[in-house]
Amino acid sequence: MEAAEGVSAPTPTEEMNGAGTLMDFLDEPFPDVGTYEDFHTIDWLREKSRDTDRHRKITSKSRESIWELIKSLLDAWSGWVVMLLIGLLSGTLAGVIDLAVDWMTDLKEGVCLSAFWYSHEQCCWTSNETTFADRDKCPQWQKWAELMTGHTEGAGAYLLNYFLYILWALLFSFLAVTLVRVFAPYACGSGIPEIKTILSGFIIRGYLGKWTLLIKTVTLVLAVSSGLSLGKEGPLVHVACCCGNLFCSLFSKYSKNEGKRREVLSAAAAAGVSVAFGAPIGGVLFSLEEVSYYFPLKTLWRSFFAALVAAFTLRSINPFGNSRLVLFYVEYHTPWYMAELVPFILLGVFGGLWGTLFIRANIAWCRRRKTTQLGKYPVLEVIIVTAITAVLAYPNPYTRRSTSELISELFNDCGALESSQLCDYINNPNMSRPVDDIPDRPAGPGVYNAMWQLALALIFKIVITIFTFGIKIPSGLFIPSMAVGAIAGRIVGIAVEQMAYHHHDWIIFKNWCRPGADCVTPGLYAMVGAAACLGGVTRMTVSLVVIMFELTGGLEYIVPLMAAAVTSKWVADAFGKEGIYESHIQLNGYPYLDVRDEFTHRTLATDVMRPRRNDPPLAVLTQDSTTVEDVETLIKDTDYNGFPVVVSRESERLIGFVQRRDLTLAIKNARQKQDGVVSSSVVYFTEDAPQLPASNPQPLKLRRILNLSPFTVTDHTPMETVVDIFRKLGLRQCLVTRSGRLLGIITKKDVLRHMAQMMNQDPESIMFN
C-alpha cells in the first residue's frame, strides 16, 4: 500500500521535561530520515515544502554575514552549474559514441590500412587517389576479402565478406548483451518508459547509477554497430539522465530532495535529445511534451541552457565531419505545392497505421517474452535476432549500411554531383540549366532497381524492428521508425515525380509542373514519411516537427511536416491512445498516472478507499497511548508505507500521518542514543508530554516526524476529482474523512487499480512487481 507523508515546520528545541531528561532527539536530524525506499513513490508536496523550508533558512542566514551571503549565492547558482556539467558530459559522450559507431560499423566490411582507427569515410578523406565518381573507394581502405585473399570481385570474395559481416555483428551483439547482463541489467532497452516513470516520482535505485551510465555508453556503441534495427537516440536520453543524476549527488540541494532532483533530470532529458539529433529546441520541447511530469518555468530555462551547452559541445567534437550539428542536413531548392498535401496526408495515414501495428505487435511479443520460457534466455534471443538481421540485411545495399546513412541518402536531393543509385535519371543532352535546378527527368534503370530494393528493405525493417525493440541491449526506436517512414516516403515521392513527368498535362500537375521544371522533390516525401512514422509510434507532435525541422534545416517544409504529424496522431489514436512508451509502462506495471488520460466514471472516494467492508480495520497509531512495542509490532505485521495518527481509537479524529521508514529509523536511533527508552516506553505525538511518575519508563517524543497536514478528502468526493488531485499534486496517498473522523485511505496504487477496473482490465496484472 503506497502512502505519503509531509514534514512539519521545525519547532524550537523543546525544554526538558520534569520526568528526568526527556528530550526530542530529532532536533538533530539523523541520517536517512525523510528518504524513500526503492520502488516507492515520492510525495511531491512534501519535497516542495522541504525545499521551501531550506530556502527560507538560507535566506535568513544570508543576512548574518558575508560568508553566508556567498553561500546563498552559490546555492542559487548551483542549478546552472549542474546544467553546464550535464551539457558538457552528455555532449562529449554523444560525440564519442558517434565516432565509435562510425568506425565499428565500417569495421564489419573492411579496415583502413593507413590507420586502423579511421572509418571508411575518414580513411578516404586523407587519400589523394580518389576520383569524384568513386569517392568512397581508395587503396587505403580494403574489404576483408581483398585483405585476406587479394581478390575484390567474384563469388568467393562476396561470400567471405558476407561471412565476416555476420561474424562481426554476432561478436558485437554478444559483447553488448553479456556486459548488460553481468554488470548493469538496467542498461538495456531505450530507457524512456522508465525515465518517464522516474520523472513522475517513482524511485528505481541504480537505474541512473554510475555503472548503468558506463555500461550503457559502451553497449550502445556495440548494439548500434552490430547492424540491428535500433537507434541510439532514445538510449542517449537515458545516458544524459544518468549524467544528471551523477552531478546531483555533488550538491546537497539536489541529492537530498527527490523533487528537485527530478527538475534536473527533466533538463537532462532535453540535453539527451539535443545531442541525439543535434536539435536543442526540439530537445526542450521533447522533454516538455513527452517525458516530464512536472515542468515549471525555471526548468524550461535550465533545460534550454543544458541543451545549448550539450549541442555546443557536440559541435566542437564535430563527429559527422561536416561542420554541422545536424544528423541529416538537406538543402531542397523547390517549394512544395498545395496539391502535394494529398500524398503528405496519405503518408501521415501510413505513419499512424504503422505506429498502431508496431505497438500492438511489439507489446504482444514483449508480453510473450515476459510470460514464457523465452524470457529466460536473453543472450540467445539477442544472438538469434542479430543472426537473422545480418543474414537478411547484407544482400540488400539499403539494409547493409547503418540506418542513419540510409535515412541520409533517402532524404538527399539528387544534385548533379550525386552518384547514388536513387539519382540514376536519364539526362537530356539538349538541356542547359543551372546545376542547382535540375528538372524532373525520366527514371533510369538504377532508380527502378533501387525501388524494388527499397520495397524489400521496407518489409524487412517493419518486421525485424518489432522483434528488436525490447531485447536485452540498449535499443532506441527513433531511427528505425524514421527509416520505415523515409523508405515509404521516398517510394511515394519517386512515384509522384514520375507521374508528374509523364503526365504533366493532367489537371493536377498543370498548374505547378511546367515541362523542363523541377516540381517534385522525392527527398521531401522521405522527410515527411519519417516524421509521420515516428509520430505514429511515439504520438509526439510539436516536438517532432521541431526536431525534424532542426534535423534537416528545412524551414519552409514545416506545414507538410505538421500535416503529416497531426494525421499520423489522429489515425493512431483512433486505434488506441497509448504511444509505445506508455504501452511499455503499462506492460511493466509502473505506477504512472498519465496526465493525458481522462477519468469519466461516476464513482466516489468511498468506493475506492480501504479498508473495504469486510476488511480488518485501518492500522492507526494514537497520539499518546501507543508503546514502542506496539509500534514495532505494527511495523512487523504490516507492509504499509505509513500510518495515520488519531486522538484515540474511540474518537478516530485525525491528527496527522507518519511515514513507516521515519518511524523505524526514529525508534532505532532512540534506542541507541537516548537512555531509558524501552519496549514499554509510551510514544507521544503531542506537543508536550505529560508529567510522569519517576518509576515509569522514559517516554519517546516523535512529534517532529509527524506530518500535521496530510491531504484529506471526504468520502463523497467524486473519484474524478481525486484522480485529478493525485495527478496534479503528485500525491502518494490521501486520507478519507467525514466530519474530521478518519474513515480510510486511498493510495496511488488504489487509484491505478480502480482506473484499470473501470477499463475492464485485471488490476493485479498491471501493478509493478
Side-chain angles (χ1 to χ4, degrees):
M1 174 161 153
E2 284 283 13
E5 62 300 319
V7 71
S8 53
T11 53
T13 308
E14 274 95 356
E15 298 295 318
M16 286 189 186
N17 186 293
T21 57
L22 174 65
M23 66 169 194
D24 187 347
F25 73 98
L26 282 167
D27 281 335
E28 292 183 11
F30 49 85
D32 289 335
V33 70
T35 56
Y36 302 93
E37 296 192 32
D38 203 5
F39 303 127
H40 285 195
T41 308
I42 71 166
D43 189 323
W44 287 91
L45 281 180
R46 173 171 181 258
E47 296 302 298
K48 195 166 172 48
S49 132
R50 283 175 64 184
D51 187 59
T52 310
D53 286 346
R54 188 193 64 83
H55 204 265
R56 204 179 289 129
K57 202 181 288 180
I58 288 172
T59 311
S60 65
K61 272 189 174 180
S62 67
R63 302 190 190 103
E64 292 171 12
S65 66
I66 294 290
W67 173 236
E68 291 295 343
L69 178 66
I70 292 168
K71 274 166 70 175
S72 75
L73 289 172
L74 289 173
D75 180 79
W77 272 91
S78 60
W80 296 101
V81 173
V82 170
M83 295 308 140
L84 178 71
L85 294 170
I86 290 169
L88 289 170
L89 184 57
S90 53
T92 307
L93 287 175
V96 169
I97 288 169
D98 284 335
L99 290 167
V101 164
D102 265 3
W103 174 65
M104 287 174 70
T105 303
D106 288 342
L107 194 62
K108 290 188 304 195
E109 296 197 31
V111 69
C112 186
L113 300 181
S114 55
F116 76 90
W117 57 87
Y118 277 174
S119 68
H120 189 164
E121 194 177 5
Q122 290 166 329
C123 191
C124 291
W125 277 345
T126 53
S127 170
N128 299 322
E129 299 165 60
T130 49
T131 61
F132 194 79
D134 286 332
R135 67 204 128 149
D136 60 340
K137 291 183 183 159
C138 57
Q140 285 87 347
W141 176 265
Q142 289 198 352
K143 291 199 171 181
W144 292 111
E146 188 184 352
L147 192 67
M148 291 173 177
T149 63
H151 297 295
T152 54
E153 302 297 328
Y158 181 83
L159 287 172
L160 182 58
N161 282 329
Y162 196 169
F163 175 70
L164 285 166
Y165 178 91
I166 295 168
L167 212 59
W168 278 111
L170 289 171
L171 174 67
F172 291 159
S173 62
F174 176 71
L175 275 174
V177 71
T178 309
L179 287 170
V180 166
R181 263 186 76 75
V182 175
F183 296 107
Y186 282 151
C188 66
S190 117
I192 292 181
E194 286 76 12
I195 298 290
K196 282 188 73 148
T197 311
I198 288 169
L199 287 178
S200 78
F202 196 54
I203 288 183
I204 309 178
R205 297 218 186 281
Y207 198 82
L208 301 174
K210 297 181 192 72
W211 267 112
T212 307
L213 172 62
L214 179 65
I215 299 300
K216 185 117 186 180
T217 307
V218 174
T219 53
L220 184 52
V221 174
L222 291 163
V224 176
S225 306
S226 68
L228 284 162
S229 183
L230 47 83
K232 59 183 184 300
E233 285 62 29
L236 273 173
V237 174
H238 186 185
V239 166
C241 286
C242 288
C243 297
N245 195 51
L246 182 72
F247 292 125
C248 277
S249 59
L250 305 178
F251 298 89
S252 62
K253 174 180 175 178
Y254 297 111
S255 62
K256 292 183 178 174
N257 190 303
E258 293 290 348
K260 295 294 286 177
R261 188 196 297 261
R262 273 150 186 75
E263 289 179 25
V264 172
L265 297 179
S266 284
V273 174
S274 171
V275 292
F277 290 113
I281 301 169
V284 175
L285 290 171
F286 174 81
S287 180
L288 173 61
E289 181 181 4
E290 192 59 31
V291 293
S292 294
Y293 197 80
Y294 172 65
F295 203 83
L297 200 55
K298 183 167 60 179
T299 306
L300 180 72
W301 301 330
R302 288 186 176 167
S303 303
F304 187 74
F305 179 65
L308 167 74
V309 175
F312 179 75
T313 309
L314 185 65
R315 171 69 182 75
S316 309
I317 295 170
N318 192 16
F320 307 119
N322 58 3
S323 299
R324 291 202 176 96
L325 182 62
V326 296
L327 206 50
F328 319 111
Y329 186 78
V330 291
E331 251 178 299
Y332 302 136
H333 301 285
T334 17
W336 61 277
Y337 298 89
M338 282 305 287
E340 286 183 286
L341 275 177
V342 175
F344 292 153
I345 286 168
L346 288 175
L347 283 170
V349 173
F350 171 77
L353 293 172
W354 143 251
T356 304
L357 165 76
F358 174 78
I359 291 167
R360 292 198 175 172
N362 180 253
I363 291 296
W365 179 249
C366 289
R367 185 168 284 122
R368 187 175 177 77
R369 184 190 291 123
K370 262 179 175 300
T371 53
T372 60
Q373 292 290 316
L374 183 70
K376 294 181 180 170
Y377 307 104
V379 178
L380 186 64
E381 186 189 8
V382 170
I383 295 294
I384 290 169
V385 171
T386 309
I388 293 169
T389 306
V391 168
L392 296 176
Y394 189 84
N396 188 336
Y398 292 108
T399 49
R400 185 190 312 171
R401 70 188 63 182
S402 77
T403 316
S404 299
E405 282 177 29
L406 168 64
I407 296 172
S408 201
E409 183 170 334
L410 294 167
F411 280 7
N412 215 347
D413 193 17
C414 284
L417 311 177
E418 286 299 331
S419 56
S420 162
Q421 227 190 344
L422 284 167
C423 296
D424 180 25
Y425 289 93
I426 298 164
N427 284 317
N428 181 353
N430 305 325
M431 203 168 57
S432 58
R433 304 186 69 81
V435 166
D436 67 343
D437 187 22
I438 293 179
D440 286 347
R441 297 153 291 170
V447 174
Y448 288 113
N449 193 29
M451 287 280 271
W452 73 261
Q453 286 178 341
L454 282 176
L456 289 175
L458 180 64
I459 296 164
F460 168 72
K461 285 279 181 197
I462 284 175
V463 174
I464 206 74
T465 307
I466 288 168
F467 297 99
T468 306
F469 187 69
I471 57 177
K472 296 295 176 197
I473 54 174
S475 53
L477 197 58
F478 284 89
I479 290 291
S481 304
M482 285 174 69
V484 167
I487 294 170
R490 187 77 189 206
I491 292 170
V492 170
I494 292 172
V496 173
E497 179 193 48
Q498 292 307 301
M499 213 191 302
Y501 176 80
H502 291 293
H503 304 285
H504 55 79
D505 52 345
W506 284 10
I507 192 155
I508 53 167
F509 299 123
K510 221 169 194 171
N511 299 333
W512 50 284
C513 271
R514 298 184 314 282
D518 179 16
C519 62
V520 177
T521 310
L524 171 60
Y525 286 75
M527 196 164 108
V528 171
C533 282
L534 185 52
V537 171
T538 62
R539 308 298 158 85
M540 287 154 50
T541 49
V542 183
S543 52
L544 171 66
V545 171
V546 175
I547 287 172
M548 290 303 296
F549 140 61
E550 285 189 275
L551 196 58
T552 55
L555 179 59
E556 65 179 291
Y557 303 109
I558 276 188
V559 173
L561 288 170
M562 287 169 77
V566 168
T567 308
S568 160
K569 181 173 167 54
W570 283 343
V571 171
D573 279 353
F575 294 97
K577 292 282 183 201
E578 290 92 15
I580 186 69
Y581 301 131
E582 291 78 18
S583 301
H584 272 271
I585 286 171
Q586 270 192 2
L587 178 72
N588 293 326
Y590 296 131
Y592 181 75
L593 264 176
D594 198 337
V595 184
R596 289 172 284 198
D597 282 348
E598 287 181 19
F599 186 86
T600 52
H601 305 280
R602 298 175 69 84
T603 48
L604 301 176
T606 187
D607 302 325
V608 180
M609 72 175 194
R610 286 189 287 170
R612 304 274 158 77
R613 276 200 179 84
N614 301 323
D615 289 354
L618 194 64
V620 295
L621 298 170
T622 56
Q623 66 174 358
D624 55 9
S625 59
T626 314
T627 63
V628 169
E629 188 178 17
D630 294 338
V631 174
E632 287 175 330
T633 306
L634 187 64
I635 289 171
K636 196 168 73 179
D637 293 348
T638 64
D639 57 355
Y640 305 143
N641 260 0
F643 305 96
V645 177
V646 294
V647 172
S648 66
R649 292 187 186 279
E650 292 73 41
S651 79
E652 293 273 309
R653 202 159 56 82
L654 183 66
I655 299 290
F657 192 87
V658 65
Q659 189 189 4
R660 174 200 188 91
R661 185 182 173 87
D662 289 353
L663 206 52
T664 311
L665 288 167
I667 291 172
K668 184 180 165 190
N669 271 269
R671 282 188 182 279
Q672 288 171 357
K673 295 180 183 174
Q674 196 175 331
D675 293 334
V677 171
V678 291
S679 295
S680 56
S681 297
V682 178
V683 175
Y684 284 98
F685 290 101
T686 53
E687 194 72 55
D688 299 305
Q691 295 283 351
L692 295 171
S695 58
N696 281 26
Q698 186 81 294
L700 176 60
K701 257 181 77 182
L702 295 181
R703 175 81 167 186
R704 288 289 300 280
I705 61 168
L706 181 66
N707 173 12
L708 290 165
S709 55
F711 208 93
T712 58
V713 294
T714 71
D715 52 337
H716 285 289
T717 307
M719 269 313 288
E720 190 180 349
T721 309
V722 175
V723 170
D724 231 23
I725 290 168
F726 268 88
R727 264 198 209 119
K728 288 176 179 167
L729 296 179
L731 298 182
R732 292 177 91 192
Q733 78 1 271
C734 75
L735 300 170
V736 184
T737 59
R738 184 193 291 162
S739 310
R741 187 169 165 271
L742 180 68
L743 294 181
I745 188 168
I746 299 175
T747 69
K748 190 173 180 181
K749 283 187 177 174
D750 292 331
V751 172
L752 285 161
R753 282 194 188 97
H754 182 65
M755 288 174 78
Q757 274 175 325
M758 293 292 104
M759 290 188 285
N760 299 320
Q761 293 172 344
D762 173 17
E764 293 313 313
S765 71
I766 66 154
M767 295 321 296
F768 179 71
N769 182 354

